[in-house]
Amino acid sequence: MSDESGYPKTSGRDGAPERDVPPSTPSWVKAFGIAAIVLVLLILILIFVGGGKHGPGRHMGAGTSSRLAAPAAYLLPDKPL
Amino acid sequence: MRPGLRNLALTVHIACSVGWIGAVAAYLVLDLTVATTSNAQTLRASYLGMGLIAESVIRPLAFAALLTGIVQSLGTKWGLFRHYWVLISLLITVFAVTVLQLELSTIRYLAEAAANPGTLDGRLRALGNTLVHSAGGMVVLLVVTFLNVYKPRGLTRYGWRKQQEARRRKLEQRGVLQR
């Protein structure tokens, strides 16, 4: 999404005065980067703690078939009576 | 892009992006219902609704928002890689669309289980919810909205190089005119 004009101003908008060295990375970008790294690590830890189960598999009970076309898989008890 | 075309592209992009947030909000309500109810009928209806919303509303709007966002960036002076807020918005949106695409198999599985009359109520209650993904998706979309409205300052190295080139060209043109 852009603002009404859709165009940045040619100067002053980015706080980058005319100079020969590129501007340093803004602090908010660094904060975003750190947050992204923390989030990725958190997700990896959660997946690791969850035994690597991710996707439809984690919603299936142990010992059941994933094939929904066979309703009997849901009707039969997991252990023989 | 001409101003008329630019406004049309912007309108389509805003409609898709806001629609995406609204659809995720509707999905989130059903997901919360799944997390809190033990009524089998409510669970069945919620899973079916989640499947329909994700497949028929969220997915097309997500792809449309990504595509129109790229068109909007490339068609204006903002560019796709010149400003950090545009670049980060793009990366977050690509991430969100990828996670959505992966999560759709789970949502489809839940909806199929709910649609199957053979699925016992107990099994239905054990299926669980997708709250981490739907709530996370909502947070991510709100972050992108914030970036797009506030447009925090910051040129990338590529953007800075392009800006320098444009300034140099402008100075050269002025110099030619003065001579």
Short mmCIF file of all heavy atoms in Angstrom, two decimals, chain B residues 18-82:
data_model
loop_
_atom_site.label_atom_id
_atom_site.label_comp_id
_atom_site.label_asym_id
_atom_site.label_seq_id
_atom_site.Cartn_x
_atom_site.Cartn_y
_atom_site.Cartn_z
N VAL B 18 -6.88 -5.53 2.71
CA VAL B 18 -7.85 -5.37 3.81
C VAL B 18 -8.78 -6.59 3.84
O VAL B 18 -9.13 -7.09 4.92
CB VAL B 18 -8.64 -4.05 3.65
CG1 VAL B 18 -9.74 -3.94 4.67
CG2 VAL B 18 -7.69 -2.86 3.78
N GLY B 19 -9.15 -7.07 2.65
CA GLY B 19 -10.00 -8.27 2.56
C GLY B 19 -9.31 -9.47 3.18
O GLY B 19 -9.94 -10.27 3.89
N TRP B 20 -8.00 -9.57 2.97
CA TRP B 20 -7.20 -10.67 3.54
C TRP B 20 -7.26 -10.61 5.08
O TRP B 20 -7.52 -11.62 5.74
CB TRP B 20 -5.77 -10.56 3.04
CG TRP B 20 -4.83 -11.65 3.43
CD1 TRP B 20 -5.14 -12.81 4.11
CD2 TRP B 20 -3.42 -11.72 3.16
NE1 TRP B 20 -4.01 -13.57 4.26
CE2 TRP B 20 -2.95 -12.94 3.70
CE3 TRP B 20 -2.52 -10.87 2.51
CZ2 TRP B 20 -1.62 -13.33 3.61
CZ3 TRP B 20 -1.19 -11.25 2.42
CH2 TRP B 20 -0.75 -12.46 2.96
N ILE B 21 -7.09 -9.42 5.63
CA ILE B 21 -7.14 -9.26 7.09
C ILE B 21 -8.54 -9.63 7.61
O ILE B 21 -8.68 -10.33 8.61
CB ILE B 21 -6.77 -7.81 7.49
CG1 ILE B 21 -5.31 -7.54 7.14
CG2 ILE B 21 -7.01 -7.58 8.99
CD1 ILE B 21 -4.86 -6.11 7.37
N GLY B 22 -9.57 -9.16 6.89
CA GLY B 22 -10.96 -9.46 7.31
C GLY B 22 -11.24 -10.95 7.27
O GLY B 22 -11.87 -11.49 8.20
N ALA B 23 -10.75 -11.62 6.23
CA ALA B 23 -10.98 -13.07 6.10
C ALA B 23 -10.26 -13.83 7.21
O ALA B 23 -10.79 -14.79 7.77
CB ALA B 23 -10.51 -13.54 4.73
N VAL B 24 -9.04 -13.37 7.55
CA VAL B 24 -8.29 -14.01 8.64
C VAL B 24 -9.02 -13.79 9.97
O VAL B 24 -9.06 -14.68 10.82
CB VAL B 24 -6.82 -13.49 8.70
CG1 VAL B 24 -6.12 -13.97 9.96
CG2 VAL B 24 -6.05 -13.97 7.47
N ALA B 25 -9.63 -12.61 10.13
CA ALA B 25 -10.39 -12.32 11.35
C ALA B 25 -11.58 -13.29 11.47
O ALA B 25 -11.83 -13.84 12.56
CB ALA B 25 -10.88 -10.88 11.35
N ALA B 26 -12.28 -13.52 10.36
CA ALA B 26 -13.41 -14.46 10.36
C ALA B 26 -12.93 -15.87 10.68
O ALA B 26 -13.55 -16.59 11.47
CB ALA B 26 -14.10 -14.41 9.00
N TYR B 27 -11.80 -16.24 10.08
CA TYR B 27 -11.22 -17.57 10.32
C TYR B 27 -10.82 -17.72 11.79
O TYR B 27 -11.04 -18.76 12.42
CB TYR B 27 -10.01 -17.75 9.41
CG TYR B 27 -9.32 -19.09 9.55
CD1 TYR B 27 -9.65 -20.16 8.73
CD2 TYR B 27 -8.34 -19.29 10.52
CE1 TYR B 27 -9.03 -21.39 8.87
CE2 TYR B 27 -7.72 -20.52 10.68
CZ TYR B 27 -8.07 -21.56 9.84
OH TYR B 27 -7.45 -22.78 9.99
N LEU B 28 -10.25 -16.64 12.33
CA LEU B 28 -9.77 -16.64 13.73
C LEU B 28 -10.92 -16.88 14.70
O LEU B 28 -10.77 -17.61 15.69
CB LEU B 28 -9.08 -15.30 14.01
CG LEU B 28 -8.18 -15.18 15.23
CD1 LEU B 28 -7.11 -16.24 15.25
CD2 LEU B 28 -7.52 -13.80 15.25
N VAL B 29 -12.09 -16.30 14.40
CA VAL B 29 -13.26 -16.49 15.26
C VAL B 29 -13.65 -17.97 15.29
O VAL B 29 -13.93 -18.54 16.35
CB VAL B 29 -14.45 -15.62 14.76
CG1 VAL B 29 -15.74 -16.00 15.46
CG2 VAL B 29 -14.15 -14.15 14.98
N LEU B 30 -13.65 -18.60 14.11
CA LEU B 30 -14.00 -20.02 14.04
C LEU B 30 -12.93 -20.87 14.74
O LEU B 30 -13.25 -21.85 15.42
CB LEU B 30 -14.15 -20.46 12.57
CG LEU B 30 -15.32 -19.84 11.81
CD1 LEU B 30 -15.32 -20.28 10.36
CD2 LEU B 30 -16.64 -20.21 12.46
N ASP B 31 -11.68 -20.48 14.58
CA ASP B 31 -10.58 -21.20 15.22
C ASP B 31 -10.69 -21.10 16.75
O ASP B 31 -10.46 -22.08 17.47
CB ASP B 31 -9.24 -20.59 14.74
CG ASP B 31 -8.16 -21.65 14.59
OD1 ASP B 31 -8.40 -22.82 14.96
OD2 ASP B 31 -7.08 -21.31 14.08
N LEU B 32 -11.05 -19.92 17.23
CA LEU B 32 -11.25 -19.72 18.67
C LEU B 32 -12.42 -20.56 19.16
O LEU B 32 -12.39 -21.12 20.27
CB LEU B 32 -11.51 -18.24 18.97
CG LEU B 32 -10.26 -17.36 19.08
CD1 LEU B 32 -10.65 -15.88 19.06
CD2 LEU B 32 -9.51 -17.66 20.37
N THR B 33 -13.48 -20.66 18.33
CA THR B 33 -14.64 -21.48 18.68
C THR B 33 -14.21 -22.93 18.82
O THR B 33 -14.61 -23.62 19.78
CB THR B 33 -15.73 -21.35 17.58
OG1 THR B 33 -16.00 -19.98 17.38
CG2 THR B 33 -16.99 -22.08 17.97
N VAL B 34 -13.39 -23.41 17.88
CA VAL B 34 -12.89 -24.79 17.92
C VAL B 34 -12.11 -25.02 19.22
O VAL B 34 -12.22 -26.06 19.86
CB VAL B 34 -12.00 -25.07 16.69
CG1 VAL B 34 -11.15 -26.30 16.89
CG2 VAL B 34 -12.85 -25.22 15.44
N ALA B 35 -11.32 -24.00 19.61
CA ALA B 35 -10.47 -24.13 20.80
C ALA B 35 -11.26 -24.13 22.09
O ALA B 35 -10.81 -24.65 23.10
CB ALA B 35 -9.44 -23.00 20.81
N THR B 36 -12.47 -23.54 22.06
CA THR B 36 -13.20 -23.36 23.33
C THR B 36 -14.45 -24.23 23.47
O THR B 36 -14.94 -24.41 24.59
CB THR B 36 -13.62 -21.88 23.50
OG1 THR B 36 -14.30 -21.46 22.32
CG2 THR B 36 -12.43 -20.99 23.74
N THR B 37 -14.97 -24.76 22.37
CA THR B 37 -16.22 -25.51 22.48
C THR B 37 -15.96 -27.02 22.58
O THR B 37 -14.91 -27.52 22.14
CB THR B 37 -17.15 -25.23 21.28
OG1 THR B 37 -18.41 -25.81 21.54
CG2 THR B 37 -16.59 -25.83 19.99
N SER B 38 -16.92 -27.72 23.16
CA SER B 38 -16.84 -29.19 23.16
C SER B 38 -18.07 -29.77 22.47
O SER B 38 -18.23 -30.98 22.41
CB SER B 38 -16.73 -29.70 24.60
OG SER B 38 -17.83 -29.23 25.35
N ASN B 39 -18.91 -28.86 21.96
CA ASN B 39 -20.10 -29.28 21.24
C ASN B 39 -19.71 -29.80 19.85
O ASN B 39 -19.11 -29.06 19.05
CB ASN B 39 -21.07 -28.09 21.13
CG ASN B 39 -22.37 -28.48 20.45
OD1 ASN B 39 -22.38 -28.82 19.28
ND2 ASN B 39 -23.45 -28.42 21.20
N ALA B 40 -20.04 -31.04 19.58
CA ALA B 40 -19.59 -31.69 18.33
C ALA B 40 -20.16 -31.00 17.09
O ALA B 40 -19.46 -30.86 16.09
CB ALA B 40 -19.98 -33.15 18.34
N GLN B 41 -21.41 -30.57 17.18
CA GLN B 41 -22.03 -29.92 16.01
C GLN B 41 -21.35 -28.58 15.70
O GLN B 41 -21.10 -28.25 14.55
CB GLN B 41 -23.51 -29.69 16.26
CG GLN B 41 -24.36 -30.90 15.87
CD GLN B 41 -25.84 -30.59 15.93
OE1 GLN B 41 -26.28 -29.94 16.87
NE2 GLN B 41 -26.59 -31.06 14.95
N THR B 42 -21.08 -27.82 16.75
CA THR B 42 -20.39 -26.54 16.58
C THR B 42 -19.00 -26.77 16.02
O THR B 42 -18.54 -26.03 15.14
CB THR B 42 -20.30 -25.80 17.94
OG1 THR B 42 -21.58 -25.79 18.55
CG2 THR B 42 -19.80 -24.39 17.78
N LEU B 43 -18.32 -27.81 16.52
CA LEU B 43 -16.98 -28.14 16.03
C LEU B 43 -17.01 -28.48 14.54
O LEU B 43 -16.22 -27.95 13.76
CB LEU B 43 -16.45 -29.36 16.78
CG LEU B 43 -15.63 -29.13 18.03
CD1 LEU B 43 -15.27 -30.46 18.67
CD2 LEU B 43 -14.36 -28.36 17.71
N ARG B 44 -17.96 -29.33 14.17
CA ARG B 44 -18.09 -29.75 12.78
C ARG B 44 -18.32 -28.52 11.87
O ARG B 44 -17.67 -28.36 10.85
CB ARG B 44 -19.27 -30.72 12.65
CG ARG B 44 -18.98 -31.94 11.82
CD ARG B 44 -20.15 -32.90 11.85
NE ARG B 44 -19.98 -33.94 12.84
CZ ARG B 44 -19.30 -35.06 12.64
NH1 ARG B 44 -18.72 -35.28 11.49
NH2 ARG B 44 -19.20 -35.98 13.58
N ALA B 45 -19.28 -27.67 12.29
CA ALA B 45 -19.60 -26.47 11.49
C ALA B 45 -18.39 -25.53 11.39
O ALA B 45 -18.11 -24.97 10.33
CB ALA B 45 -20.78 -25.74 12.11
N SER B 46 -17.65 -25.40 12.51
CA SER B 46 -16.50 -24.49 12.53
C SER B 46 -15.39 -24.99 11.61
O SER B 46 -14.81 -24.21 10.85
CB SER B 46 -15.96 -24.34 13.95
OG SER B 46 -16.95 -23.80 14.78
N TYR B 47 -15.09 -26.29 11.69
CA TYR B 47 -14.05 -26.85 10.81
C TYR B 47 -14.42 -26.67 9.34
O TYR B 47 -13.57 -26.33 8.51
CB TYR B 47 -13.85 -28.34 11.09
CG TYR B 47 -13.02 -28.64 12.31
CD1 TYR B 47 -13.41 -29.60 13.24
CD2 TYR B 47 -11.80 -27.98 12.52
CE1 TYR B 47 -12.65 -29.89 14.36
CE2 TYR B 47 -11.03 -28.27 13.64
CZ TYR B 47 -11.45 -29.23 14.55
OH TYR B 47 -10.68 -29.51 15.66
N LEU B 48 -15.72 -26.90 9.02
CA LEU B 48 -16.15 -26.73 7.63
C LEU B 48 -16.01 -25.28 7.18
O LEU B 48 -15.56 -24.99 6.08
CB LEU B 48 -17.61 -27.19 7.48
CG LEU B 48 -17.84 -28.70 7.55
CD1 LEU B 48 -19.32 -29.04 7.58
CD2 LEU B 48 -17.18 -29.40 6.37
N GLY B 49 -16.41 -24.37 8.07
CA GLY B 49 -16.29 -22.93 7.77
C GLY B 49 -14.84 -22.52 7.59
O GLY B 49 -14.51 -21.76 6.67
N MET B 50 -13.98 -23.05 8.46
CA MET B 50 -12.54 -22.73 8.36
C MET B 50 -11.99 -23.18 7.01
O MET B 50 -11.23 -22.46 6.36
CB MET B 50 -11.77 -23.41 9.50
CG MET B 50 -11.91 -22.71 10.83
SD MET B 50 -11.49 -23.76 12.25
CE MET B 50 -9.75 -24.01 12.01
N GLY B 51 -12.40 -24.36 6.59
CA GLY B 51 -11.94 -24.89 5.29
C GLY B 51 -12.38 -24.02 4.14
O GLY B 51 -11.59 -23.70 3.25
N LEU B 52 -13.65 -23.62 4.18
CA LEU B 52 -14.20 -22.79 3.10
C LEU B 52 -13.52 -21.42 3.06
O LEU B 52 -13.14 -20.94 1.99
CB LEU B 52 -15.71 -22.60 3.30
CG LEU B 52 -16.60 -23.74 2.81
CD1 LEU B 52 -18.03 -23.52 3.26
CD2 LEU B 52 -16.53 -23.85 1.29
N ILE B 53 -13.39 -20.79 4.22
CA ILE B 53 -12.79 -19.44 4.26
C ILE B 53 -11.34 -19.49 3.80
O ILE B 53 -10.90 -18.66 2.99
CB ILE B 53 -12.89 -18.84 5.69
CG1 ILE B 53 -14.35 -18.54 6.03
CG2 ILE B 53 -12.06 -17.57 5.81
CD1 ILE B 53 -14.57 -18.09 7.46
N ALA B 54 -10.60 -20.48 4.30
CA ALA B 54 -9.17 -20.56 3.95
C ALA B 54 -8.98 -20.82 2.46
O ALA B 54 -8.15 -20.17 1.80
CB ALA B 54 -8.49 -21.65 4.77
N GLU B 55 -9.75 -21.75 1.95
CA GLU B 55 -9.57 -22.17 0.56
C GLU B 55 -10.13 -21.14 -0.43
O GLU B 55 -9.49 -20.84 -1.44
CB GLU B 55 -10.27 -23.51 0.36
CG GLU B 55 -9.85 -24.26 -0.88
CD GLU B 55 -8.58 -25.07 -0.67
OE1 GLU B 55 -8.55 -25.92 0.25
OE2 GLU B 55 -7.62 -24.81 -1.40
N SER B 56 -11.32 -20.62 -0.14
CA SER B 56 -12.02 -19.79 -1.13
C SER B 56 -11.83 -18.29 -0.95
O SER B 56 -12.10 -17.52 -1.86
CB SER B 56 -13.53 -20.08 -1.09
OG SER B 56 -13.76 -21.45 -1.09
N VAL B 57 -11.42 -17.86 0.24
CA VAL B 57 -11.28 -16.41 0.45
C VAL B 57 -9.83 -16.03 0.77
O VAL B 57 -9.24 -15.19 0.08
CB VAL B 57 -12.21 -15.91 1.59
CG1 VAL B 57 -12.23 -14.39 1.64
CG2 VAL B 57 -13.62 -16.44 1.41
N ILE B 58 -9.26 -16.67 1.81
CA ILE B 58 -7.92 -16.24 2.25
C ILE B 58 -6.87 -16.49 1.17
O ILE B 58 -6.08 -15.60 0.85
CB ILE B 58 -7.53 -16.94 3.58
CG1 ILE B 58 -8.49 -16.52 4.69
CG2 ILE B 58 -6.10 -16.57 3.96
CD1 ILE B 58 -8.22 -17.15 6.04
N ARG B 59 -6.87 -17.70 0.61
CA ARG B 59 -5.81 -18.01 -0.37
C ARG B 59 -5.84 -17.07 -1.59
O ARG B 59 -4.81 -16.47 -1.90
CB ARG B 59 -5.89 -19.48 -0.81
CG ARG B 59 -4.72 -19.80 -1.76
CD ARG B 59 -4.44 -21.24 -1.92
NE ARG B 59 -5.56 -21.92 -2.56
CZ ARG B 59 -5.43 -23.11 -3.14
NH1 ARG B 59 -4.27 -23.70 -3.14
NH2 ARG B 59 -6.46 -23.70 -3.68
N PRO B 60 -7.00 -16.91 -2.28
CA PRO B 60 -6.98 -16.00 -3.43
C PRO B 60 -6.62 -14.56 -3.06
O PRO B 60 -5.88 -13.89 -3.80
CB PRO B 60 -8.40 -16.08 -4.00
CG PRO B 60 -9.20 -16.88 -3.07
CD PRO B 60 -8.29 -17.60 -2.16
N LEU B 61 -7.12 -14.10 -1.90
CA LEU B 61 -6.82 -12.72 -1.50
C LEU B 61 -5.34 -12.55 -1.15
O LEU B 61 -4.74 -11.51 -1.45
CB LEU B 61 -7.69 -12.30 -0.31
CG LEU B 61 -9.14 -11.95 -0.63
CD1 LEU B 61 -9.91 -11.65 0.65
CD2 LEU B 61 -9.24 -10.77 -1.59
N ALA B 62 -4.75 -13.57 -0.53
CA ALA B 62 -3.33 -13.50 -0.17
C ALA B 62 -2.46 -13.39 -1.43
O ALA B 62 -1.57 -12.53 -1.50
CB ALA B 62 -2.94 -14.73 0.64
N PHE B 63 -2.74 -14.23 -2.40
CA PHE B 63 -1.96 -14.18 -3.64
C PHE B 63 -2.20 -12.86 -4.38
O PHE B 63 -1.27 -12.27 -4.93
CB PHE B 63 -2.29 -15.37 -4.54
CG PHE B 63 -1.54 -16.61 -4.17
CD1 PHE B 63 -2.13 -17.62 -3.43
CD2 PHE B 63 -0.20 -16.76 -4.54
CE1 PHE B 63 -1.42 -18.75 -3.07
CE2 PHE B 63 0.52 -17.90 -4.18
CZ PHE B 63 -0.10 -18.90 -3.45
N ALA B 64 -3.46 -12.40 -4.38
CA ALA B 64 -3.78 -11.14 -5.06
C ALA B 64 -3.08 -9.96 -4.38
O ALA B 64 -2.56 -9.07 -5.05
CB ALA B 64 -5.29 -10.93 -5.07
N ALA B 65 -3.06 -9.98 -3.03
CA ALA B 65 -2.40 -8.88 -2.29
C ALA B 65 -0.91 -8.86 -2.58
O ALA B 65 -0.32 -7.79 -2.78
CB ALA B 65 -2.65 -9.05 -0.79
N LEU B 66 -0.30 -10.04 -2.63
CA LEU B 66 1.14 -10.13 -2.94
C LEU B 66 1.42 -9.61 -4.34
O LEU B 66 2.31 -8.77 -4.55
CB LEU B 66 1.61 -11.58 -2.80
CG LEU B 66 3.06 -11.88 -3.16
CD1 LEU B 66 4.03 -11.12 -2.25
CD2 LEU B 66 3.36 -13.37 -3.06
N LEU B 67 0.63 -10.08 -5.29
CA LEU B 67 0.83 -9.70 -6.69
C LEU B 67 0.60 -8.20 -6.91
O LEU B 67 1.42 -7.52 -7.54
CB LEU B 67 -0.13 -10.52 -7.56
CG LEU B 67 0.21 -10.58 -9.04
CD1 LEU B 67 1.44 -11.46 -9.26
CD2 LEU B 67 -0.96 -11.14 -9.85
N THR B 68 -0.51 -7.68 -6.38
CA THR B 68 -0.81 -6.26 -6.58
C THR B 68 0.20 -5.37 -5.83
O THR B 68 0.49 -4.26 -6.27
CB THR B 68 -2.24 -5.91 -6.11
OG1 THR B 68 -2.40 -6.36 -4.76
CG2 THR B 68 -3.29 -6.55 -6.99
N GLY B 69 0.72 -5.90 -4.72
CA GLY B 69 1.75 -5.16 -3.98
C GLY B 69 3.02 -5.03 -4.80
O GLY B 69 3.66 -3.97 -4.81
N ILE B 70 3.40 -6.12 -5.46
CA ILE B 70 4.60 -6.09 -6.30
C ILE B 70 4.39 -5.13 -7.47
O ILE B 70 5.27 -4.32 -7.79
CB ILE B 70 4.94 -7.52 -6.80
CG1 ILE B 70 5.41 -8.39 -5.63
CG2 ILE B 70 6.02 -7.49 -7.88
CD1 ILE B 70 5.56 -9.86 -5.94
N VAL B 71 3.20 -5.19 -8.10
CA VAL B 71 2.89 -4.29 -9.23
C VAL B 71 2.95 -2.84 -8.75
O VAL B 71 3.54 -1.97 -9.40
CB VAL B 71 1.49 -4.62 -9.80
CG1 VAL B 71 1.03 -3.55 -10.78
CG2 VAL B 71 1.51 -5.97 -10.49
N GLN B 72 2.36 -2.60 -7.57
CA GLN B 72 2.31 -1.26 -7.00
C GLN B 72 3.72 -0.72 -6.73
O GLN B 72 4.01 0.44 -7.01
CB GLN B 72 1.50 -1.32 -5.69
CG GLN B 72 1.20 -0.01 -5.05
CD GLN B 72 0.23 0.81 -5.87
OE1 GLN B 72 -0.46 0.28 -6.73
NE2 GLN B 72 0.20 2.10 -5.63
N SER B 73 4.59 -1.58 -6.22
CA SER B 73 5.97 -1.15 -5.92
C SER B 73 6.75 -0.87 -7.20
O SER B 73 7.43 0.15 -7.30
CB SER B 73 6.70 -2.23 -5.13
OG SER B 73 6.02 -2.50 -3.95
N LEU B 74 6.65 -1.79 -8.14
CA LEU B 74 7.43 -1.64 -9.38
C LEU B 74 6.89 -0.51 -10.26
O LEU B 74 7.65 0.08 -11.03
CB LEU B 74 7.43 -2.96 -10.16
CG LEU B 74 8.16 -4.13 -9.49
CD1 LEU B 74 8.02 -5.40 -10.30
CD2 LEU B 74 9.65 -3.80 -9.30
N GLY B 75 5.60 -0.22 -10.12
CA GLY B 75 4.98 0.81 -10.96
C GLY B 75 5.11 2.21 -10.41
O GLY B 75 4.69 3.17 -11.05
N THR B 76 5.69 2.34 -9.23
CA THR B 76 5.87 3.68 -8.64
C THR B 76 7.35 3.86 -8.30
O THR B 76 8.15 2.92 -8.40
CB THR B 76 5.04 3.84 -7.35
OG1 THR B 76 5.50 2.90 -6.39
CG2 THR B 76 3.55 3.63 -7.60
N LYS B 77 7.68 5.06 -7.85
CA LYS B 77 9.10 5.34 -7.53
C LYS B 77 9.55 4.68 -6.23
O LYS B 77 10.72 4.75 -5.89
CB LYS B 77 9.33 6.85 -7.47
CG LYS B 77 9.38 7.47 -8.86
CD LYS B 77 9.71 8.94 -8.79
CE LYS B 77 9.76 9.53 -10.20
NZ LYS B 77 9.97 10.98 -10.17
N TRP B 78 8.60 4.06 -5.50
CA TRP B 78 9.00 3.39 -4.26
C TRP B 78 9.95 2.23 -4.57
O TRP B 78 10.88 1.98 -3.82
CB TRP B 78 7.78 2.86 -3.51
CG TRP B 78 6.97 3.91 -2.84
CD1 TRP B 78 5.73 4.34 -3.19
CD2 TRP B 78 7.34 4.70 -1.70
NE1 TRP B 78 5.30 5.33 -2.35
CE2 TRP B 78 6.27 5.57 -1.42
CE3 TRP B 78 8.47 4.74 -0.88
CZ2 TRP B 78 6.30 6.47 -0.37
CZ3 TRP B 78 8.50 5.64 0.18
CH2 TRP B 78 7.42 6.50 0.41
N GLY B 79 9.70 1.52 -5.67
CA GLY B 79 10.53 0.36 -6.02
C GLY B 79 10.30 -0.79 -5.07
O GLY B 79 9.64 -0.65 -4.04
N LEU B 80 10.88 -1.92 -5.41
CA LEU B 80 10.69 -3.13 -4.59
C LEU B 80 11.82 -3.33 -3.58
O LEU B 80 11.63 -3.90 -2.52
CB LEU B 80 10.59 -4.34 -5.53
CG LEU B 80 9.86 -5.57 -5.04
CD1 LEU B 80 8.48 -5.26 -4.51
CD2 LEU B 80 9.77 -6.61 -6.14
N PHE B 81 13.02 -2.83 -3.92
CA PHE B 81 14.19 -3.07 -3.06
C PHE B 81 14.85 -1.77 -2.60
O PHE B 81 15.96 -1.79 -2.10
CB PHE B 81 15.22 -3.92 -3.81
CG PHE B 81 14.66 -5.20 -4.37
CD1 PHE B 81 14.48 -5.35 -5.74
CD2 PHE B 81 14.29 -6.24 -3.53
CE1 PHE B 81 13.95 -6.53 -6.26
CE2 PHE B 81 13.76 -7.41 -4.03
CZ PHE B 81 13.58 -7.56 -5.41
N ARG B 82 14.20 -0.64 -2.80
CA ARG B 82 14.84 0.64 -2.47
C ARG B 82 14.64 1.08 -1.03
O ARG B 82 15.49 1.69 -0.43
CB ARG B 82 14.30 1.74 -3.40
CG ARG B 82 14.69 1.51 -4.83
CD ARG B 82 14.19 2.58 -5.73
NE ARG B 82 14.49 2.26 -7.11
CZ ARG B 82 14.48 3.11 -8.10
NH1 ARG B 82 14.18 4.37 -7.87
NH2 ARG B 82 14.77 2.74 -9.32
#
